[in-house]
Amino acid sequence: MKRILFNLSALCIGFLAFSQNTNNLKPIRSNTMNTITHKNPKTLFDPTPFAFSHSTTHEGEGKYVFISGQSGGEGLKHNLSKDFRTQVRFALKNLETVLADYGLKTRDVLKITILIVNHDQEKLKIWTEEMHNTWKSDEFPASTLIPVPTLALDDMQIEVEAIAFMKN
């Protein structure tokens, strides 16, 4: 009896596996344009002066690019300035370098996460100014800033990670 039930169960599982509609696993070809939409609901405060959007989404065919945290290190030797603004500029420049390696620009970034050591209002002001210098369109990605006590290297003051979307 156990053998019959086992064989029957195996048969049912096999039947279910082969009868499943797998069309949802195949990419859907479309002639529509790929677009990133930035949304800032009118019932929430305008985040644009603070260099972020409440949300972003993407429509179209392509793939996501997950970018590890980029520090403010300069060059191949990863020299870290003691100046916070300098590190912010290089973190954003390093982010742009990774994006460029995929043929992407800052406009393709959907989400960024910023880690700032000993965060305060002055550092937020510097971050916001440099974001406006980098994202000239004022269409900012969704963003989260996380104050931290320290980062991977003692002199690191900022780290910026991102999720971008690369169109096919």
Side-chain angles (χ1 to χ4, degrees):
M1 184 69 172
K2 285 184 184 179
R3 188 177 217 188
I4 293 172
L5 286 175
F6 176 76
N7 287 338
L8 185 57
S9 296
L11 180 65
C12 288
I13 290 171
F15 175 75
L16 286 172
F18 286 107
S19 69
Q20 295 299 306
N21 179 353
T22 57
N23 288 339
N24 63 341
L25 301 177
K26 296 176 186 173
I28 298 170
R29 299 283 177 208
S30 170
N31 292 329
T32 61
M33 294 293 292
N34 294 307
T35 59
I36 293 176
T37 304
H38 302 77
K39 286 202 172 199
N40 295 310
K42 299 296 182 200
T43 56
L44 294 175
F45 77 97
D46 179 12
T48 307
F50 303 100
F52 74 95
S53 292
H54 284 295
S55 68
T56 57
T57 189
H58 180 272
E59 294 178 27
E61 199 173 314
K63 60 185 170 186
Y64 291 96
V65 178
F66 297 88
I67 301 170
S68 293
Q70 299 299 304
S71 76
E74 301 175 45
L76 294 176
K77 296 199 182 223
H78 196 259
N79 297 321
L80 290 162
S81 170
K82 299 287 185 198
D83 178 60
F84 180 73
R85 185 179 296 273
T86 300
Q87 283 202 27
V88 170
R89 286 179 179 159
F90 275 96
L92 290 169
K93 181 179 180 219
N94 294 340
L95 175 61
E96 287 180 300
T97 298
V98 175
L99 288 167
D101 205 43
Y102 285 92
L104 300 173
K105 296 190 179 290
T106 55
R107 69 174 175 255
D108 299 305
V109 174
L110 296 172
K111 171 79 167 83
I112 58 173
T113 302
I114 309 100
L115 305 163
I116 295 179
V117 173
N118 300 322
H119 170 69
D120 59 23
Q121 293 306 298
E122 181 59 27
K123 288 181 177 178
L124 178 60
K125 179 179 180 274
I126 291 168
W127 168 254
T128 302
E129 290 169 358
E130 295 304 324
M131 276 292 290
H132 279 280
N133 290 336
T134 303
W135 262 263
K136 301 206 184 317
S137 69
D138 281 351
E139 289 184 330
F140 299 104
S143 174
T144 301
L145 189 153
I146 304 171
V148 295
T150 188
L151 289 166
L153 301 174
D154 289 339
D155 293 331
M156 280 176 63
Q157 298 181 51
I158 188 166
E159 189 170 355
V160 180
E161 72 173 29
I163 300 171
F165 193 84
M166 186 166 74
K167 302 170 190 172
N168 283 344

